[in-house]
Amino acid sequence: MENIYSLIAFVLLSGVVLGSALLVVTLKNLVHSVLWLIVTFIGTAGVFLMLEADFVAAVQVLVYAGAVCIMVVFGVMLVQRNEMGNSNPFNYRFRIAAPVVGVLFIIIGLLTAKAQWVTSGAGVPKKTVQALAPILLGDFMIPFEVAAILLTVALTGALVLVKEVRAHGDRS
Amino acid sequence: MGTGLNPSYFVALSAALFVIGIYGALSKKNAIAVLISIELMLTAVNINLVAFNKFLTPETFIGQIFAIFVITVAAAEVGLGLAIVIAIYRLRGSVDLDDFDLMKW
């Protein structure tokens, strides 16, 4: 009985995720695309909850659906000044892209169907954060610090990029 | 297994999401739309990582740690990508990727 409920939940969540992702890549208006991107990320957080990854789901909602999407909306507002209605057009490559991705999906599907899954029977521990924190601050201390430095350098670099080009544009 | 779903469901979902992201990244003109498509692909990778974490190594949490690092790098990537897009927009007045031929010789 539990299986059929989780299967229904999985089908609904993947329907939400894939449908909104398709809307993201097909809609004409870029702002609508970004709003559907938020729906995709929240659906993905639901998939993470199904996989018993509470902390990753929370990070997904906070970072992706919150921060990243708002940042992208600000980028759209700064860049797209004229006619928002047709701000997300296809280029000439979309006819080539469709068969390429179709073939790729069929290949991945065949490989997935033929794979022999070796699953460990153990369940994920209930306390996710309490289990993640010692690993993140113990074994993965160096990558954790490198990620912090990476974020600092990336944000400083973004500031420098935008500021320098504006100064250059003012001079010319 | 607790849920009765095997990993192939989640791999198939992630493959579909990844393929949609590739389609967007290949066929969109707007640079910000390509950034969004890359985000979709990274999300698909995260689904795979967390699914393999649950089904293969549930007690070591390696997949979730990697998913958190992927999210971090993706946030940095979006910040820098948007800065580059805004910089090129101020230089060229366009966000059409087919106009970006500064490095072509």
Side-chain angles (χ1 to χ4, degrees), chain A:
Chain A
M1 212 32 138
E2 189 204 3
N3 289 354
I4 190 73
Y5 287 144
S6 59
L7 190 64
I8 290 170
F10 176 78
V11 168
L12 287 177
L13 274 175
S14 44
V16 167
V17 168
L18 293 181
S20 54
L22 273 176
L23 284 175
V24 167
V25 295
T26 51
L27 280 180
K28 288 287 178 198
N29 194 331
L30 192 53
V31 177
H32 295 175
S33 287
V34 181
L35 294 179
W36 281 106
L37 187 71
I38 298 178
V39 178
T40 310
F41 286 154
I42 292 177
T44 315
V47 174
F48 289 161
L49 282 181
M50 277 196 71
L51 290 166
E52 301 173 40
D54 318 0
F55 183 66
V56 184
V59 170
Q60 174 87 13
V61 171
L62 288 175
V63 174
Y64 265 134
V68 166
C69 286
I70 296 302
M71 203 156 64
V72 173
V73 168
F74 268 108
V76 172
M77 292 300 166
L78 283 173
V79 159
Q80 202 78 36
R81 300 257 169 86
N82 45 3
E83 50 135 8
M84 198 56 100
N86 192 16
S87 55
N88 198 4
F90 284 105
N91 61 13
Y92 63 94
R93 276 180 233 96
F94 78 98
R95 284 188 212 87
I96 317 166
V100 165
V101 301
V103 167
L104 184 64
F105 183 65
I106 289 170
I107 289 173
I108 299 176
L110 285 179
L111 289 176
T112 309
K114 289 183 84 68
Q116 302 285 327
W117 300 105
V118 183
T119 56
S120 95
V124 181
K126 286 297 171 201
K127 296 188 172 179
T128 319
V129 182
Q130 284 92 330
L132 271 174
I135 307 173
L136 203 54
L137 295 174
D139 292 345
F140 285 84
M141 187 73 204
I142 302 293
F144 185 70
E145 298 289 340
V146 169
I149 295 172
L150 174 79
L151 276 176
T152 314
V153 169
L155 290 180
T156 318
L159 279 176
V160 169
L161 264 176
V162 174
K163 191 167 179 297
E164 194 177 35
V165 169
R166 188 182 60 193
H168 188 73
D170 284 344
R171 207 176 334 135
S172 63

Side-chain angles (χ1 to χ4, degrees), chain B residues 6-45:
Chain B
N6 52 348
S8 54
Y9 289 80
F10 293 96
V11 175
L13 168 65
S14 135
L17 194 56
F18 191 80
V19 156
I20 291 172
I22 290 186
Y23 179 69
L26 285 178
S27 67
K28 282 299 183 183
K29 268 187 174 178
N30 200 320
I32 296 179
V34 175
L35 275 179
I36 292 171
S37 306
I38 293 172
E39 292 302 309
L40 285 180
M41 286 193 263
L42 289 167
T43 310
V45 171

Side-chain angles (χ1 to χ4, degrees), chain B residues 3 6-7 21 29 31 41-42 65-66 71 78 84 87 89 94 105:
Chain B
T3 62
N6 52 348
K29 268 187 174 178
M41 286 193 263
L42 289 167
I65 299 266
F66 270 53
I71 288 174
V78 168
I84 291 172
Y89 176 74
S94 160
W105 57 282

